Amino acid sequence: MIAKHTIVAVACAGAAVALMSGCSQATEAPAAGADAQTTAAPDAAPATGASDAATTLGTRETALGTVLTDGDGFTLYRFDEDTADLVRCVGPCAEIWPPTLGTPLPHPDAVLPGTVGTTTRPDGVEQATYDGHPLYRFAKDSAPGLTSGDGVKGTWHVVTVDAAHG
């Protein structure tokens, strides 16, 4: 009986590790572009998860180039394991990589050559997308302009915006 309990405990621990595998923590990087200019303004409406909520998208110059930001000026990221139709960062992953919820609206001063849209998360909530990639913030980016989530696990990347894009 103890052996069966041990097997179940080990299986549960393995499942927890598998769920967290796409969400490892990054080493803090220098605040590249933390004092750079941004074209984002405060969100037009809070991203409450309702499909009619809007979130403002802007841009910011960083050492990584011009990156997409939310209305608060925080860098937005994409996850290689997501597709336009399937959001894979859920549960504990979404705590480290909070999704950008609601319908994205470009800030009037932002030049966004890509396509903005939404996708539906497994819980039914609308998540903002850019060129079909669901958008996220990185919880360790403690201030606007930080890009410390870029390259985490080789699957998380800043969303860059440039004239050659799209």
Side-chain angles (χ1 to χ4, degrees):
M1 194 61 130
I2 291 177
K4 186 175 184 180
H5 177 70
T6 303
I7 291 171
V8 170
V10 170
C12 289
V17 169
L19 283 173
M20 298 286 292
S21 67
C23 302
S24 75
Q25 296 178 354
T27 304
E28 288 295 326
D35 58 351
Q37 296 289 17
T38 182
T39 58
D43 282 350
T48 61
S51 60
D52 60 345
T55 187
T56 302
L57 299 181
T59 60
R60 178 182 286 271
E61 294 299 322
T62 71
L64 299 174
T66 304
V67 300
L68 191 65
T69 62
D70 66 9
D72 295 323
F74 283 86
T75 302
L76 295 176
Y77 298 86
R78 64 179 175 80
F79 183 41
D80 286 347
E81 294 184 22
D82 283 344
T83 67
D85 299 322
L86 179 63
V87 174
R88 297 183 58 93
C89 182
V90 296
C93 178
E95 292 176 20
I96 297 168
W97 299 94
T100 303
L101 302 177
T103 304
L105 298 173
H107 184 272
D109 295 336
V111 177
L112 301 178
T115 304
V116 297
T118 61
T119 191
T120 304
R121 296 179 55 76
D123 61 4
V125 175
E126 293 295 309
Q127 182 170 351
T129 62
Y130 186 73
D131 279 348
H133 298 285
L135 301 173
Y136 302 87
R137 277 174 59 165
F138 182 46
K140 289 194 171 229
D141 283 351
S142 58
L146 297 179
T147 58
S148 58
D150 189 57
V152 170
K153 297 281 289 177
T155 59
W156 289 95
H157 310 281
V158 297
V159 177
T160 56
V161 179
D162 58 42
H165 184 87

